[in-house]
Amino acid sequence: MTTLSLFARKAGATLGLALAMGLVAFIVFGPLTNLAIWAFAEQWFYPNQWPTRWGFEFWSRVFRPRAGAWESLWNSVSIAAATVGLSMALSIPAGYALARLALPARSFIMLIFLLPQAFPSLPIFVNIAAIFYGLGLNGTLFGVVLVHSLPGLVYAVWIATASFSAVDRSMEEAARNLGAGPLRTFRDITLPQAFPGLMAASIFVFLDSIDEFTGTYFVGAPDISTLPILMFNASMGGNYQIAAITALILLIPSVGFMLVIERFLKADVLSRIGR
């Protein structure tokens, strides 16, 4: 093979890699760029390819007291925080039991927590809304927290189980040999070792809750408004600037927390998910 042909093959491989990376960048950053353009576009009419006027007018509209953005933001954050609290309160004892006890139906129990993700969310939330209407939970923050906890438990239980499975049991045995009781061993030895995985599970639940639309729409609307509900109403009304601004606000915790997850969720925990 001549030097020219080797150079051609290397150039072709480099060009193919560059095209593939460019395609991936377009798929990832193309929608984000479009959101950013709409967020700062004050006038953009057909057939203009770019906005004819830029500014912050719609940002001021979004954060006016009567616009409802602050209330929606507060509802989103408070509901997500409550969902994390409820999900982790249930998943920590459940994850510990699934990781440490020889349960005869362990695989079946783990499968049960995956069932909400195995079916389309729309019919599930419609039926939940019908049940909640009878219980008087529709239009309440508690009802929205409950419906958000349904998919949140998938992340919480599976990651909590993996976190407790990755704990070094020899340290627990050493603590017990030194006279520590079960509760103190769990508090001082087991929980600190499982904490990074539990923190990652909490972040997953928080992000899933703050972005949840379908469950909030059927159970909470119109009494409970969150940022996804606000974005939906704005887009349906043709207010694309407001919808884009709301979407960018929702991206901030998602990007920030994903960087935190990368730090907390270690390889030894990931390797035990599903075991």
Side-chain angles (χ1 to χ4, degrees):
M1 186 176 294
T2 63
T3 304
L4 183 60
S5 61
L6 286 174
F7 177 78
R9 290 188 61 181
K10 290 183 178 179
T14 303
L15 180 61
L17 179 61
L19 290 175
M21 293 180 63
L23 179 62
V24 171
F26 176 77
I27 294 174
V28 174
F29 295 104
L32 298 179
T33 304
N34 187 59
L35 281 178
I37 292 174
W38 271 111
F40 297 98
E42 293 186 0
Q43 286 186 357
W44 192 1
F45 302 112
Y46 180 84
N48 297 318
Q49 295 183 352
W50 296 97
T52 56
R53 192 172 75 187
W54 304 78
F56 295 90
E57 178 184 351
F58 286 94
W59 286 84
S60 63
R61 290 187 187 182
V62 168
F63 291 104
R64 287 174 183 172
R66 294 184 179 181
W70 287 113
E71 180 185 359
S72 299
L73 177 61
W74 168 252
N75 287 338
S76 295
V77 174
S78 58
I79 289 171
T83 302
V84 170
L86 178 60
S87 298
M88 298 310 297
L90 296 174
S91 63
I92 289 177
Y96 185 83
L98 290 169
R100 297 303 180 86
L101 302 180
L103 300 175
R106 180 181 181 276
S107 299
F108 178 72
I109 295 174
M110 296 288 289
L111 181 62
I112 289 177
F113 287 103
L114 283 179
L115 287 179
Q117 301 295 328
F119 300 97
S121 60
L122 183 60
I124 293 176
F125 289 133
V126 167
N127 284 277
I128 290 176
I131 296 173
F132 279 14
Y133 269 117
L135 298 176
L137 293 174
N138 274 78
T140 64
L141 288 174
F142 182 65
V144 176
V145 170
L146 287 179
V147 79
H148 282 205
S149 299
L150 182 63
L153 283 174
V154 175
Y155 303 107
V157 172
W158 276 69
I159 298 178
T161 302
S163 301
F164 286 119
S165 298
V167 171
D168 187 0
R169 297 195 181 190
S170 62
M171 297 182 64
E172 295 178 324
E173 294 172 355
R176 296 297 300 273
N177 290 334
L178 292 174
L183 291 178
R184 185 173 182 182
T185 301
F186 179 81
R187 183 192 66 189
D188 296 340
I189 304 298
T190 307
L191 199 57
Q193 291 189 67
F195 179 77
L198 298 178
M199 178 61 67
S202 300
I203 293 173
F204 273 118
V205 175
F206 184 90
L207 293 179
D208 183 78
S209 175
I210 205 170
D211 291 333
E212 175 61 46
F213 166 76
T214 310
T216 309
Y217 182 79
F218 283 103
V219 175
D223 301 288
I224 306 297
S225 177
T226 60
L227 285 179
I229 296 292
L230 182 66
M231 181 178 64
F232 174 79
N233 291 334
S235 61
M236 290 296 100
N239 300 318
Y240 301 121
Q241 289 91 339
I242 295 177
I245 292 170
T246 309
L248 289 178
I249 295 173
L250 285 171
L251 277 177
I252 295 174
S254 299
V255 175
F257 280 134
M258 289 307 295
L259 296 176
V260 176
I261 288 174
E262 184 181 7
R263 177 180 178 182
F264 278 105
L265 202 56
K266 303 300 182 181
D268 57 341
V269 175
L270 290 172
S271 65
R272 294 178 181 272
I273 293 180
R275 292 187 179 182

